[in-house]
Structures are given as structure tokens and as C-alpha cells.
Amino acid sequence: MRAAYVLAICAVATIGGAAKAQEIDWKKVDEALGRSAAVSGDVHRYGFPRSDLNVTLDGVTIRPTLALGSWTAFKPAHGGVMVMGDLVLLDTEINPVMAKLIENGIEITAVHNHVLRGNPATYYMHISGHGDPVKLATAIRTGLAASKTPLTPPAPPASQPAIDLDTAQLDQIIGVKGQANGGVYQFGVPRRDPVTESGMQLMPAGPLGVATAIGFQPTGGG
């Protein structure tokens, strides 16, 4: 019998520094990226779900919140910001997006798979950068524009889809509290030992991508 859930795991490390969040005009960063951020502490995170894609895995349609959500997060550092992110791309989009990002000063730290046997195949481009927040945001937007990633902010859902899973038991097993997001039950599990760079602790871990991300998507019957 086929397993009645799909599990996606990704762990990402990054770097940071020290700067004053109040010195950054976050409204201009929002405008450059064309959407508002989810703010956690001094980290501003932007989501770009690939709602344009219909990806299936072993007969299951993958929800964008499970494994098709491009994102980028900004944290004040070194008099500007550091930024990191993970872009979901089709194979035909990798080279044009990479070229635009490199041309505009964004580093490519990895290109690899998260979802095996998916159709169509998706790839994940990890990015990083340091400097002026608006310039970095503009560079990322320019890179995304070389793909078919929807650049218009999605309308907020009227309600969250039901999660047909024993989420309380999942919380107990994983050891942290998860949250429902777009029909997927998500966890962000930080390491027990703090992740630091140049003596600065990278917090909050989840929005920055230095926590292990785990998502459960119900498929019926368990």
C-alpha cells in the first residue's frame, strides 16, 4: 500500500552579521520585490510560491507549500544586509535565472533536487548575497523574472485547507510545534547548538533557513 503522506526535508546554512534593522527602509525592499514580507524579529522573508506549476509525485499533486515555494530572507548585517534564499525552477529556467543573478551580484551556492521523481522535474537554486538591501532585492526580482515564477502576490486564502493528520501526535514525535500552511503541516526544527557566524547567532533560525524544514502533506487515509 502506498504511503499516505509525502515528506519533504531541507536543511540550509547561511551567514550573518550585525547592523541596525531600523536603518533599513524595508518599504523600498518590499517595493523592489513586489510584495510584503513576513517579519520575524529582524528577519524579513518573502515567499514566491510556484502556483503556476502542477507537479505530481507517484500520483500525488504536490502543494506549493510542501516543496514548491521559492523564498528569500533578509537580515541586517555588516552595515547593510545579508540575504539568502531558495528558488524553485524548471530545468529550462536554471541557466537564464542563474545568469541574471550572477550578473547582478547574487551568489549561487547550490543547485540540486529536493523532490525526486517529480513530474515535471523541479530544481532548487540556493542563493546568497551581501550589501545594499534594495539592490539585492532588485537583483533577485530580475532573476525571478527570467523564469515563469508568478511575480504578482497571491491572494490570501479565505481559510486554511483541512489537515487530515493527527497533528498533535506529529508535534509530540518531532518535538516542536508545527503549523498549518496551505494544506501542509510544517515544522521548523532548529539545531540544539546555536548556529553562529563571526560570533553572531543566526536568529530566528526558521525564517533564515538554518532550521531543518519538514512538511507533511496528507493524501487521504492517513
Side-chain angles (χ1 to χ4, degrees), residues 162-189:
I163 304 272
D164 184 22
L165 297 170
D166 187 341
T167 56
Q169 187 178 31
L170 291 177
D171 290 347
Q172 183 179 20
I173 293 169
I174 300 296
V176 298
K177 175 67 176 175
Q179 63 177 7
N181 184 14
V184 174
Y185 198 64
Q186 298 177 333
F187 293 93
V189 186

Side-chain angles (χ1 to χ4, degrees), residues 3 5 26 51 62 68 83 86-87 91 93 99 112 143 155 195 197-198 213-214:
Y5 62 87
W26 290 110
S51 55
I62 301 297
L68 303 176
V83 61
D86 192 5
L87 310 183
D91 55 354
E93 297 172 333
H112 56 204
V195 180
E197 194 277 328
S198 298
I214 305 173

Side-chain angles (χ1 to χ4, degrees), residues 1-218:
M1 182 176 179
R2 192 180 306 280
Y5 62 87
V6 178
L7 172 66
I9 300 178
C10 174
V12 182
T14 185
I15 60 178
K20 295 181 179 179
Q22 60 266 30
E23 296 174 353
I24 297 170
D25 189 341
W26 290 110
K27 183 178 179 180
K28 290 184 178 180
V29 179
D30 292 352
E31 291 173 350
L33 289 169
R35 63 200 57 214
S36 299
V39 182
S40 300
D42 63 352
V43 173
H44 288 236
R45 179 170 167 133
Y46 301 83
F48 294 84
R50 291 301 304 258
S51 55
D52 59 309
L53 298 179
N54 182 26
V55 179
T56 60
L57 172 60
D58 297 341
V60 175
T61 299
I62 301 297
R63 289 183 176 271
T65 49
L66 181 75
L68 303 176
S70 297
W71 62 272
T72 184
F74 293 72
K75 182 178 177 67
H78 308 303
V81 299
M82 56 79 60
V83 61
M84 64 163 296
D86 192 5
L87 310 183
V88 181
L89 302 171
L90 299 175
D91 55 354
T92 56
E93 297 172 333
I94 293 173
N95 285 341
V97 171
M98 183 182 293
K100 287 294 185 182
L101 291 173
I102 293 174
E103 177 184 332
N104 290 286
I106 301 295
E107 298 177 29
I108 311 302
T109 58
V111 178
H112 56 204
N113 298 101
H114 290 182
V115 178
L116 302 180
R117 306 186 312 281
N119 183 33
T122 51
Y123 300 86
Y124 300 79
M125 183 180 292
H126 293 267
I127 62 174
S128 70
H130 299 82
D132 179 85
V134 177
K135 289 182 179 179
L136 292 170
T138 301
I140 293 169
R141 175 71 178 261
T142 300
L144 287 172
S147 72
K148 293 184 179 180
T149 301
L151 297 179
T152 301
S159 60
Q160 286 286 346
I163 304 272
D164 184 22
L165 297 170
D166 187 341
T167 56
Q169 187 178 31
L170 291 177
D171 290 347
Q172 183 179 20
I173 293 169
I174 300 296
V176 298
K177 175 67 176 175
Q179 63 177 7
N181 184 14
V184 174
Y185 198 64
Q186 298 177 333
F187 293 93
V189 186
R191 292 183 57 85
R192 292 188 179 91
D193 49 330
V195 180
T196 64
E197 194 277 328
S198 298
M200 186 187 78
Q201 186 172 349
L202 300 183
M203 290 293 291
L208 270 178
V210 293
T212 297
I214 305 173
F216 289 86
Q217 178 180 318

